[in-house]
Amino acid sequence: MPDAEQVAAFTDLMLAPAGDDLDARIAALLASGLATDSLLLDLLAPTARHLGTLWEEDLCDFVEVTRAMGRLQRIMREVVHRFGVEPVEPREGRRILLLPCPGEAHSFGLTVVERFFREAGWDVTCTASEPSHDTLARVRNDWFDVVGLSLACDVLMSRMTETVAALRRDSRNPALRVMVGGPAFTANPEGCRQVGADAAASDARQALCIAESLLDLSVIPC
């Protein structure tokens, strides 16, 4: 599994102005025995979080981070296309809405979570690429069993609390389950209760297990 030093080195690679032979680098990692899931969860996702930290600390500008995130998105799409498992037909009782907390700028992790849920047979709606979406209209008009929200910075914790309450109030599903994740909750596990959510997950694997458990479904091995 990639360590912190490798994540930092990969972040530098993403930020390099001229880029590098990314395809060859990724192929070498996979050839060395790194599993696709580990590549996504243990290298690409931490790299995205590290880029967000560099931006928040003014160590990178918007253009640099945007370019680097674009590279990460391209790598993820290509890896999933070449090595990913084909999504299975969605099963009844497994509908999830994934979205960043309103005001949250970091959403790469949600795209990774989306992939895991689709491959497990969930019907997934992800708004990571729709910054202007109307979340409340979505839960009023469509039925979701679970909503998953992500948050990177605890500055928006009060906004998250308001959003969770509004989702529960407006949801067509009176038994809606709400799950949260992201660096803000990794650093503060108790934040889950503070915002009124049912559970918090540290990564995509755990999110999938927790979502199944919240609905009292047959839980896949974690």
Side-chain angles (χ1 to χ4, degrees), residues 48-49 52-57 100-107 149-161 180-188 191 194-195:
R49 290 195 293 271
T53 299
L54 293 176
W55 184 16
E56 290 164 2
E57 296 178 354
C101 174
E104 174 60 73
H106 308 298
S107 60
L149 294 131
S150 69
L151 181 62
C153 181
D154 59 10
V155 170
L156 293 174
M157 202 66 85
S158 61
R159 179 79 64 84
M160 178 71 96
T161 303
V180 294
F185 297 98
T186 302
N188 176 24
Q194 294 171 13
V195 300

Side-chain angles (χ1 to χ4, degrees), residues 11 15 49-60 65:
T11 302
L15 289 168
R49 290 195 293 271
H50 190 41
L51 284 167
T53 299
L54 293 176
W55 184 16
E56 290 164 2
E57 296 178 354
D58 291 328
L59 297 175
C60 290
V65 171

Side-chain angles (χ1 to χ4, degrees), residues 96-177:
I96 186 168
L97 172 64
L98 298 173
L99 64 151
C101 174
E104 174 60 73
H106 308 298
S107 60
F108 180 83
L110 275 181
T111 61
V112 176
V113 173
E114 177 185 9
R115 171 201 174 249
F116 273 73
F117 274 84
R118 287 194 189 282
E119 289 187 357
W122 282 68
D123 183 348
V124 185
T125 299
C126 182
T127 68
S129 60
E130 306 172 36
S132 62
H133 73 280
D134 186 341
T135 299
L136 296 183
R138 192 83 64 122
V139 297
R140 280 194 297 266
N141 297 328
D142 298 321
W143 179 283
F144 294 100
D145 300 290
V146 180
V147 171
L149 294 131
S150 69
L151 181 62
C153 181
D154 59 10
V155 170
L156 293 174
M157 202 66 85
S158 61
R159 179 79 64 84
M160 178 71 96
T161 303
E162 295 168 0
T163 301
V164 171
L167 286 167
R168 292 193 190 280
R169 182 191 66 232
D170 288 16
S171 174
R172 281 186 63 191
N173 176 8
L176 180 72
R177 299 292 186 264

